[in-house]
Each structure stands twice: as structure tokens, then as C-alpha cells.
Amino acid sequence: MYQIWYSKIQKLSLTNHYNNDESVIGKFLVHTFGLPFLQDVNNIEEDCFVFDLLENMSSGDKAQQHCDYLSENYIFSYSVFPPKLWFSNEITNVC
């Protein structure tokens, strides 16, 4: 999932922001990668995305496109790949 999200950042030419610690857009992008680590309780991913991350995001067409992409595909319960599909308390041993 992270590879797909980063690929979208690259396609939107936001890589420089992502790699810049001083960029407000970059900080927003980096923080979105922490969403899967939240506990899956009462749609906390949705609340964090809307009330914490989006409130602190600067305006920008490409950043907004990235938000729309995450919203449509991952963040909300009605998304194509909602959190219940990608969140798991289980640790899988692939070795």
C-alpha cells in the first residue's frame, strides 16, 4: 500500500515536497503514511484524516488531488479499499 501511495506522490510531482522537512505539504504527505498504524476503533482513520491532517494542509491543486485519491480509495468506509481491508492487528510471518 505504501508503494502505491508513494507512486501517486511521484505521479503528482510532489516528491520534492515529500522529501523536504520544511514543506507544509511534505509534512502532510509524510503524516498520511502513519494512518495505517492507528488502532481500528470507531473509524479513527477517517477522523484523523479529516480533523487532524486536512485541517493542517496547505492549499495546492496537486496536494488536493492526492487527498482526493486517498479519500476515494483508502480512507473512508465507502472507499474502494476501506480501512477494514488494510488494517489488521495480526502480524504475519512471511519467512
Side-chain angles (χ1 to χ4, degrees):
M1 183 170 67
Y2 295 117
Q3 291 175 338
I4 296 169
W5 290 11
Y6 189 73
S7 174
K8 187 65 173 180
I9 289 171
Q10 291 174 318
K11 288 178 185 175
L12 293 171
S13 301
L14 291 170
T15 308
N16 288 337
H17 285 287
Y18 179 83
N19 292 324
N20 182 350
D21 294 337
E22 302 298 318
S23 169
V24 175
I25 294 173
K27 289 178 184 178
F28 167 78
L29 296 171
V30 169
H31 288 149
T32 60
F33 282 83
L35 290 171
F37 293 103
L38 296 174
Q39 295 295 319
D40 189 29
V41 179
N42 297 327
N43 299 322
I44 195 168
E45 299 86 1
E46 294 179 19
D47 292 345
C48 180
F49 186 74
V50 172
F51 298 115
D52 295 325
L53 295 177
L54 289 183
E55 283 186 2
N56 297 317
M57 188 190 77
S58 67
S59 61
D61 187 44
K62 291 181 180 184
Q64 184 60 50
Q65 288 177 32
H66 185 68
C67 290
D68 292 344
Y69 169 77
L70 291 178
S71 298
E72 292 169 9
N73 292 291
Y74 297 99
I75 302 301
F76 298 102
S77 58
Y78 54 82
S79 298
V80 177
F81 304 104
K84 69 179 180 181
L85 292 179
W86 47 263
F87 182 84
S88 175
N89 282 330
E90 298 177 18
I91 297 174
T92 304
N93 186 357
V94 294
C95 296

